[in-house]
């Protein structure tokens, strides 16, 4: 592992940690109110699956020189499990059953990947199988719900001509995390790291461009009371979130 490769991996670990910790505000509200309200629980088990697959892919016997990928995703998996259990504890029965079902799906998919890669595949075939599994779920996570969340935020910014409801630091760390791991993947000639994180980098870039376009514009929103959706958007997630009607996850990944 050369120096530049290692440095970008460290940057990716730091920015990735901030992304994984971003929902703490939401969960503090859930714990305080003893209710999940209208927040969607779908992002957390799906992000957990992505973390587990990526952490497995980064192990030395699967993919050499990618231990930094395992470190951040292993940490992220631990954080996401806490989020999932908290959400299940405070969720109403219908939502609780839904998230438990998704959690069971995550465990099943990860178990299949682990067992197949350990007992049926070896060498480069193992790396390809685990890499494709991790990359596919990473792209799904970036490409569906997170992009829906991004579009929702961006549409609100354009409509109000104000960045009041765009969480700047979340957008910044999506960009930093995606870009760091994208470059890490390029330097390591690893498309399974570079491609999905290139998508994340592009997503963060789009949000930052919008932010700098509208940051000095007060917009009309100052004159109007906040809606429930706009208050939730400011926290980085919407109460009536379209994610709840789609597949995938809300957070950045590696």
């Amino acid at each position: 592992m050369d120096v530049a490769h290692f440095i970008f991996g460290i940057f990716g670990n730091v920015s990735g940690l901030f992304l994984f910790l971003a929902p703490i505000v939401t969960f503090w509200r859930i714990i305080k109110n003893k209710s999940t309200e209208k927040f969607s629980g779908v992002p957390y088990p799906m992000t957990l699956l992505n973390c587990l697959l990526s952490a497995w892919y980064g192990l030395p016997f699967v993919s050499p020189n990618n231990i930094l990928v395992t470190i951040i995703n292993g940490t992220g998996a631990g954080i996401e499990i806490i989020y999932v259990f908290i959400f299940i504890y405070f969720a109403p029965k219908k939502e609780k059953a839904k998230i438990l079902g998704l959690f069971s799906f995550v465990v099943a998919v990860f178990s299949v990947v682990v067992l197949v890669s350990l007992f049926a595949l070896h060498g480069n075939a193992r790396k390809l199988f685990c890499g494709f599994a991790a990359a596919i779920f990473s792209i799904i996570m970036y490409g569906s719900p997170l992009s829906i969340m991004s579009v929702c935020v961006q549409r609100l910014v354009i409509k109000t001509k104000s960045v009041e409801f765009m969480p700047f630091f979340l957008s910044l760390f999506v960009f930093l995390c995606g870009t760091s791991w994208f470059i890490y993947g390029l330097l390591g000639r690893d498309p399974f790291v570079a491609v999905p994180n290139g998508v994340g980098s592009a997503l963060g870039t789009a949000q930052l461009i919008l932010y700098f376009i509208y940051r000095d514009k007060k917009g009309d929103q100052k004159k109007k009371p906040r809606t429930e959706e706009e208050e939730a958007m400011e926290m980085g997630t919407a109460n009536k979130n379209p994610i709840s009607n789609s597949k995938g996850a809300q957070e950045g990944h590696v």
Side-chain angles (χ1 to χ4, degrees):
M1 183 182 295
D2 59 38
V3 175
H5 191 233
F6 178 77
I7 290 174
F8 277 103
I10 294 297
F11 285 159
N13 271 255
V14 173
S15 54
L17 183 60
F18 275 98
L19 274 181
F20 289 131
L21 294 175
I24 283 180
V25 175
T26 297
F27 279 91
W28 176 250
R29 173 172 167 172
I30 288 173
I31 293 170
K32 184 179 179 181
N33 296 337
K34 297 181 179 179
S35 170
T36 58
E37 302 175 37
K38 294 181 181 178
F39 290 111
S40 172
V42 173
Y44 309 106
M46 297 309 296
T47 303
L48 172 60
L49 177 58
N50 179 62
C51 287
L52 289 172
L53 291 174
S54 296
W56 182 257
Y57 173 73
L59 291 173
F61 61 86
V62 176
S63 174
N65 301 321
N66 273 328
I67 193 63
L68 290 175
V69 174
T70 295
I71 290 173
I72 186 57
N73 282 284
T75 302
I79 294 171
E80 295 301 325
I81 287 175
I82 294 173
Y83 292 157
V84 170
F85 287 165
I86 292 174
F87 196 94
I88 290 173
Y89 184 80
F90 289 106
K93 288 184 178 180
K94 186 176 180 180
E95 188 71 8
K96 194 188 299 284
K98 178 181 176 181
I99 302 306
L100 279 171
L102 276 174
F103 182 71
S104 300
F105 168 77
V106 167
V107 173
V109 171
F110 181 62
S111 298
V112 168
V113 171
V114 169
L115 292 174
V116 170
S117 62
L118 279 179
F119 299 109
L121 300 171
H122 304 280
N124 194 54
R126 175 185 290 166
K127 179 179 179 180
L128 288 174
F129 173 73
C130 295
F132 270 115
I136 287 170
F137 278 97
S138 295
I139 291 173
I140 288 173
M141 192 180 78
Y142 271 134
S144 54
L146 221 168
S147 67
I148 290 171
M149 182 64 187
S150 174
V151 169
C152 191
V153 174
Q154 291 171 20
R155 185 171 55 191
L156 185 62
V157 169
I158 294 170
K159 179 181 177 181
T160 63
K161 293 184 166 68
S162 170
V163 295
E164 182 180 1
F165 305 111
M166 175 179 279
F168 171 74
F169 286 105
L170 184 59
S171 300
L172 176 63
F173 282 109
V174 167
F175 169 76
L176 292 176
C177 183
T179 301
S180 296
W181 288 111
F182 173 64
I183 296 174
Y184 177 92
L186 289 179
L187 292 174
R189 296 182 177 86
D190 192 332
F192 298 123
V193 175
V195 173
N197 285 287
V199 175
S201 178
L203 182 64
T205 300
Q207 289 192 4
L208 289 176
I209 289 172
L210 269 184
Y211 183 88
F212 285 109
I213 289 174
Y214 291 107
R215 64 175 177 168
D216 295 324
K217 299 182 181 180
K218 295 182 180 179
D220 298 329
Q221 200 67 26
K222 300 281 186 180
K223 303 175 184 178
K224 300 178 182 179
R226 296 183 181 184
T227 65
E228 187 176 317
E229 181 180 0
E230 290 166 344
E231 287 181 351
M233 192 69 71
E234 187 177 16
M235 296 174 64
T237 182
N239 285 347
K240 294 182 179 179
N241 198 323
I243 294 177
S244 62
N245 298 318
S246 65
K247 299 177 182 179
Q250 171 187 355
E251 300 173 41
H253 71 98
V254 175

